[in-house]
Amino acid sequence: MCGPRVFPICRILICRILFCLAVALTAMPESTAQQPAAHGHWAIMLHGGAGVIERATMKPETEAAYRASLKQALEAGAAVLDRGGSSLDAVEAAIRILEDDPLFNAGRGAVFAADGSNQLDAAIMDGATLRAGAVADVTRTRHPISLARAVMEKSPHVFLVGKGADAFSVYAGLEQVDPSFFFTERRWQSLIKQLKQEGLPIPPRPAGAPAAPQVPIAEIEPAEAHKFGTVGVVALDRNGNIAAGTSTGGTQAKRWGRVGDSPVIGAGTYASNQSCAVSATGVGEYFIRLTVAREVCALVQYKGLKLQQAADEVIHKELAALHGDGGVIAITPDGQMAWSFNTPGMYRARLAEGGKIEIGIYNDEP
Ligand code: ASP
């Protein structure tokens, strides 16, 4: 049919047909075209801070309150994932609950800086796109984690601090509260105690705080238990995307605009679908120096370590070598989950789709 003279025309025709076939194949619906399979199962983990948290000194009702709070936040995040929501949405939803809970050092219930103010830090990161948002030293946003997300989604920046971040929060339409919203008597008395011990000046009771009680409130647990108390969440959604978020009041009696690791991308918070998502808690200065969150993910990505091995390597070897204290929670796109800490306790909880909720506080629990 194709003689020597018409051969080039045949060739052009064949090429055209092949080209059309290729175009048709790429335009086919996802279900029939070759697409990477989504992991399909969701999972979520959270922490509520690590520190000197010991069974011997914990009252049963306090312990029960912590366990109930961790469960409530975990279930809120899990519900988002179970209805097909994104890992970012789950991280934000769970952290917002912990920020409203005065038990934790984030949002309401945050520790006080030495000047008597609450200075809040938060960060969020999307493992699918490597987009991230972070804020430090904010004073009026009810949910700093949502402000971090707004920085990621509504600004061209990654990290905003202080007055500028407070102003951006108003601009982005986030809920504003009077700084006294974050006040808790327990944290205030804990600050006064520390300032007295360190011989530092005692700031006036914050404006708008409730009147001082006639008798000091009973310590519901040892002050040391609250040295940390940051909250963090990592999640994996049904599309195989992971995300991480962290929110904190930082360290008690901090001065001079001190910012810890929590809002520093790569230190206290990190997520990449290439490796893992991590949220850390502990003495931020060490976590910043080691870029702990990124370090865990680097061991997974470049050394091929299993997630638990990587987390243990960083916490029990690298952090320990610097005499730093704290821990991490971490998750991978293929559903590995790990927590690791070198303190007597870390408030923590996790759930994988179809599994059972695990909640732990002390280091002798699984
Ligand atoms: N990492 C936080 C900070 O240094 C504190 C904490 O985790 O409790 O600001």
Side-chain angles (χ1 to χ4, degrees):
M1 204 178 133
C2 288
R5 287 176 108 202
V6 285
F7 180 71
I9 300 173
C10 278
R11 227 169 44 179
I12 289 168
L13 265 177
I14 288 167
C15 283
R16 285 217 170 137
I17 289 165
L18 284 176
F19 176 74
C20 289
L21 261 174
V23 169
L25 271 176
T26 34
M28 277 171 87
E30 277 185 18
S31 52
T32 46
Q34 289 290 310
Q35 292 285 322
H39 178 264
H41 293 291
W42 56 259
I44 183 165
M45 317 177 72
L46 58 84
H47 71 74
V52 185
I53 309 162
E54 284 163 329
R55 201 175 261 114
T57 49
M58 176 81 85
K59 289 186 182 161
E61 59 271 27
T62 306
E63 180 177 326
Y66 271 105
R67 289 188 190 271
S69 286
L70 293 169
K71 184 164 181 275
Q72 190 202 355
L74 190 78
E75 283 174 344
V80 171
L81 297 167
D82 203 46
R83 54 174 184 262
S86 70
S87 49
L88 267 182
D89 285 345
V91 165
E92 185 182 0
I95 291 185
R96 283 172 67 98
I97 288 177
L98 296 166
E99 286 177 337
D100 275 345
D101 190 330
L103 284 178
F104 299 98
N105 173 18
R108 173 177 255 165
V111 298
F112 287 93
D115 68 0
S117 66
N118 298 111
Q119 302 168 2
L120 311 172
D121 306 337
I124 195 161
M125 186 159 183
D126 176 16
T129 59
L130 298 187
R131 288 183 315 157
V135 291
D137 278 359
V138 297
T139 57
R140 293 180 165 272
T141 305
R142 176 168 174 183
H143 292 294
I145 193 68
S146 297
L147 179 53
R149 186 159 181 186
V151 171
M152 175 173 87
E153 290 176 344
K154 298 183 180 165
S155 90
H157 308 300
V158 168
F159 201 172
L160 302 181
V161 302
K163 287 191 170 56
D166 280 339
F168 175 76
S169 178
V170 175
Y171 165 82
L174 291 161
E175 184 179 349
Q176 304 295 301
V177 291
D178 186 83
S180 62
F181 171 86
F182 303 112
F183 180 95
T184 51
E185 192 62 43
R186 178 171 76 108
R187 295 290 195 197
W188 182 252
Q189 291 192 10
S190 178
L191 171 75
I192 309 285
K193 193 171 160 191
Q194 182 174 343
L195 293 176
K196 279 185 183 158
Q197 276 165 3
E198 291 180 15
L200 289 168
I202 310 291
R205 198 174 169 86
Q214 295 302 305
V215 280
I217 54 156
E219 292 257 351
I220 69 162
E221 60 202 294
E224 272 293 283
H226 287 293
K227 217 163 164 195
F228 309 130
T230 293
V231 304
V233 179
V234 294
L236 161 66
D237 63 32
R238 285 217 173 106
N239 288 324
N241 293 321
I242 54 175
T246 313
S247 183
T248 187
T251 47
Q252 180 167 281
K254 62 188 179 182
R255 293 194 278 167
W256 307 306
R258 180 265 184 196
V259 176
D261 60 311
S262 309
V264 176
I265 298 302
T269 307
Y270 188 76
S272 165
N273 278 7
Q274 299 300 312
S275 50
C276 62
V278 176
S279 172
T281 175
V283 183
E285 282 67 15
Y286 299 98
F287 284 68
I288 293 174
R289 290 179 189 133
L290 287 170
T291 56
V292 161
R294 177 71 183 125
E295 180 78 350
V296 172
C297 294
L299 291 177
V300 169
Q301 189 172 355
Y302 303 119
K303 263 195 157 180
L305 295 195
K306 286 283 174 208
L307 188 65
Q308 187 67 56
Q309 264 182 295
D312 287 343
E313 170 85 22
V314 175
I315 296 301
H316 294 295
K317 294 200 182 142
E318 298 184 32
L319 184 66
L322 289 192
H323 305 290
D325 285 337
V328 291
I329 53 169
I331 202 162
T332 58
D334 67 2
Q336 296 175 60
M337 294 194 279
W339 49 45
S340 187
F341 53 99
N342 65 1
T343 46
M346 180 167 85
Y347 298 109
R348 59 198 187 277
R350 66 182 169 193
L351 177 64
E353 186 174 3
K356 271 178 56 184
I357 293 181
E358 286 176 67
I359 298 178
I361 295 181
Y362 313 108
N363 64 5
D364 56 6
E365 294 173 276

